[in-house]
Amino acid sequence: MSQSLEITNLNVNIGDKRIIKDFNLTIPKGEVHAIMGPNGTGKSTLAKALAGHPDYEITSGEVLMDGESILDLEVDERSRAGLFLAFQYPMEIPGVTIANFIRAAKNARLPDGEDLNAPAYYKELYEKMDALKIDRKFTSRSVNEGFSGGEKKRCEILQMAMLEPKYAVLDETDSGLDIDALKIVSEGVNALRGGNLGALVITHYQRLLNYIIPDQVHVMYDGRIVKSGDKSLAEELERKGYDWIKEITETAA
Amino acid sequence: METETGLANPIEQAFQNHIDGLDTAPAWWTEFKRQSFEVYANMPMPTRRDEHWRFSDRSRLETIEGFSFDDSHSATISHKYSEWSNIASSETAALTFVDDQLAEASPLPEDFLQAGVIWLPLAEAIQSHGDLLKDYFMKQAADLGSEKFAQLHAAFVKSGALLYIPKGVEIENPFAVFNWSSLSNGTIFPHTLVIAEENSKASLVEFHGSIGENPALSCGVTHLFAGVGSKIDYTLVQNFNEQTLGFQINSNVAGRDSQIDMHSVILGCQQYRSETHGQVKGARAHVDMRSMALTEANQEIDQRTLQTHAAPNATSNLLFKNALMGESKTIFSGLIKVDDKAQQTDAYQTNRNLLLNRTAEANSLPGLEIEANDVKCSHGATTSEIDEEEIFYMLARGIPKPVAQELVVYGFFEEVLDRIVDDTLAESARQMIRSKFHH
């Protein structure tokens, strides 16, 4: 069984509009891949479609996680199977504390009738919050309510650390972050890197990739990957700008 | 009011028995009850044309005399009911009533007794503190549509709690009142009267519930009087079974520089009518009224509120939140009235309804009547379904949809629940909410 997240000939529509076009990408477990691309090219659509958002219709193609198709799984089943999406715009959930929210997510992973060991849970939660420099007082704050951009993104990484996914898709985790928050979030992601995690980092800017060094960089344009390379591709893209991608894509076509 | 056969109808007979049973009560009390019953009997039932009953299902009102008002042969209380009352952790003192009979009373600590605090079951207070009751008992008009039921309450009330806090006395831990209903077709008339004198402070939590599944009628009244500079915090948790018909008539009077916080958690009853009048009578008073209701099946929760400002520089804030499941129905009708003397009033009224099922029905009738020219007043009402993006976010964390919806509802109510002074009661209320999702 191949240990990878394997996306093959994926096509995704929003309404009647085809956004993701014959998309192919394989992320072996243990690697971090980055997708870069201009706005409106389908990066976030890819992320939401992988997670199973009902507004994003997968018209054809396949997504295998460690050899098993996830496309017939419900959104929550995909998550419990080991797929994690860090949201570009995390939702606020008034009145639901971070501690209770993550606890509900962890409980959902236990067999029926079993409950989380509360002291062990809080120990783990506090350790991971400390590592992400999230004040422990946040456990009793409502999920994302009144959080700054940086706090929301750190909270996403905290959830990822607590849920220990096999594969993670990080959708513009750098957007809205100042340099300090960017470093903390990156350290958080880097701490989770290793043989048990495959990650796809979606970003508009090369800046994030100075902190999360990718094994591979893919450039996305108009719903498909048009160029792949190592981390130097991100630097080249930063120098030449997205017009360069437009040019090479249109020349190729 | 005699029937053709010359026999009194059942409610008249029951009232006569009730009065006969009060042989040791002072004359003013029985006279007051006779007058109340007469007013009740002569007052017509609310009609469809009555604005205060708009949207309400009035069909059950016509049947209330089918309940048993006869209290002459109530079951004797043989149980210790303290185990029923561990839903709150009152550390000051508690009174437990079952079918309007005193089942348990924990004594008032000696130092409070010495300080002049009065904490008594109503039946005792009538004997020992008649003058106080003459000044305060049922002195607030039921002006939101239920006057007939307030008169019914006055006619039959026999149990309840009187809490009197003398000038300057502050009591941190809440008092507690438990009212249980158990008899089939029985009636209870819970009454709570809190009088806080100048610069005093007290809190009281009250629970209304059913033992078993018998249908019953509850017709309750709560009146709070906050003297100059005093503070009253009051919570009512209503969790009757879903065969019960309930009326609850609340009124509070806030004196100068006083503060009244009133919280309601409404879960039970087939049909529940609640009226709350917050009256700002003194300058710089603050009145905060919060309510949450979770409805299911064919429950109807009907709430009418009035905030009146008769003094300047005061604030009142009202937040009523409902979450509706099944084919249930809620009605919120609220009015803010600011008279011309009440300049620099801040008054807010918010009703939020969360529809968990499209066939549920939330009605909202907010209103303002402002005669002063220098005020800040607003009212807002929203009815919405759960945000699908919020649910998607939770699903994407592996939380199954029913659990996600529950979490959203718990979160929705926290604005009310986290204000409850008694942590045990707040946690009990959360458990009761949870059990509405899992029965």
Side-chain angles (χ1 to χ4, degrees), chain A residues 53 79-80 85 109 156 159, chain B residues 389 393 395 397-398 407 411:
Chain A
H53 193 289
S79 167
R80 294 196 298 273
L85 171 62
R109 287 160 168 80
E156 291 294 287
Q159 292 170 43
Chain B
E389 291 299 318
Y393 183 63
L395 291 174
R397 297 296 172 256
L407 278 175

Side-chain angles (χ1 to χ4, degrees), chain A residues 38-54:
Chain A
N39 289 329
T41 206
K43 304 190 299 295
S44 284
T45 299
L46 175 69
K48 290 262 177 80
L50 290 175
H53 193 289

Side-chain angles (χ1 to χ4, degrees), chain A residues 8 84 105 118:
Chain A
T8 324
F84 183 88

Side-chain angles (χ1 to χ4, degrees), chain A residues 53 75-76 79-80 84-85 87 91-96 101 105 108-109 144 156 159, chain B residues 387-390 392-401 403 407-408 410-412 414:
Chain A
H53 193 289
V75 180
D76 54 325
S79 167
R80 294 196 298 273
F84 183 88
L85 171 62
F87 281 59
M91 296 300 295
E92 297 182 3
I93 309 175
V96 178
F101 180 62
R109 287 160 168 80
N144 294 320
E156 291 294 287
Q159 292 170 43
Chain B
D387 183 343
E388 284 302 321
E389 291 299 318
E390 230 174 278
F392 175 69
Y393 183 63
M394 299 171 99
L395 291 174
R397 297 296 172 256
I399 299 171
K401 196 163 189 174
V403 179
L407 278 175
V408 169
Y410 303 153
F412 177 71
E414 268 308 303

Side-chain angles (χ1 to χ4, degrees), chain B residues 307 309 314-317 336 338 345-349 376-378:
Chain B
Q307 294 154 267
H309 283 255
T315 59
S316 70
N317 187 22
I336 298 175
V338 180
T345 287
D346 275 8
Y348 304 101
Q349 178 206 94
K376 272 190 262 175
C377 291
S378 75

Side-chain angles (χ1 to χ4, degrees), chain B residues 40 45-46 53 55-69 148-149 152 183-187 213-218 240-247 268-273 298-302:
Chain B
Y40 161 78
M45 276 292 170
W53 291 85
F55 297 120
S56 307
D57 176 3
R58 287 163 303 99
S59 60
R60 270 197 94 181
L61 305 184
E62 306 291 341
T63 68
I64 62 166
E65 290 187 9
F67 287 99
S68 168
F69 291 81
K148 186 174 173 76
F149 308 108
L152 180 71
L183 297 174
S184 184
N185 279 315
T187 49
E213 293 300 318
N214 284 325
L217 169 71
S218 172
F240 285 120
N241 66 33
E242 290 182 19
Q243 284 68 252
T244 294
L245 173 62
F247 296 89
C269 280
Q270 198 273 317
Q271 189 175 348
Y272 190 67
R273 165 86 176 196
N298 62 349
Q299 280 185 294
E300 176 179 305
I301 306 294
D302 178 5

Side-chain angles (χ1 to χ4, degrees), chain B residues 74-223:
Chain B
S74 296
T76 48
I77 307 294
S78 54
H79 266 280
K80 280 266 173 192
Y81 281 96
S82 48
E83 69 203 83
W84 293 94
S85 302
N86 60 8
I87 43 181
S89 59
S90 138
E91 287 160 55
T92 302
L95 291 170
T96 303
F97 301 95
V98 179
D99 298 320
D100 273 356
Q101 296 194 67
L102 183 64
E104 275 217 313
S106 65
L108 183 67
E110 189 58 32
D111 47 339
F112 293 138
L113 206 58
Q114 293 298 329
V117 174
I118 302 167
W119 168 248
L120 287 174
L122 196 61
E124 243 177 86
I126 293 156
Q127 306 284 353
S128 58
H129 295 85
D131 288 345
L132 187 64
L133 287 175
K134 276 186 214 167
D135 285 346
Y136 287 98
F137 188 77
M138 293 301 284
K139 290 298 182 198
Q140 300 305 312
D143 39 16
L144 287 166
S146 281
E147 193 184 349
K148 186 174 173 76
F149 308 108
Q151 297 291 345
L152 180 71
H153 173 91
F156 283 97
V157 65
K158 62 175 176 174
S159 69
L162 166 66
L163 175 60
Y164 172 86
I165 312 286
K167 187 175 169 179
V169 174
E170 296 190 9
I171 302 178
E172 219 35 66
N173 293 321
F175 290 81
V177 182
F178 302 93
N179 275 292
W180 296 97
S181 154
S182 82
L183 297 174
S184 184
N185 279 315
T187 49
I188 62 170
F189 302 91
H191 191 99
T192 298
L193 175 58
V194 180
I195 303 158
E197 294 283 16
E198 199 176 325
N199 295 322
S200 67
K201 184 181 168 188
S203 59
L204 189 146
V205 298
E206 179 160 359
F207 176 78
H208 291 179
S210 308
I211 299 169
E213 293 300 318
N214 284 325
L217 169 71
S218 172
C219 183
V221 169
T222 292
H223 285 169

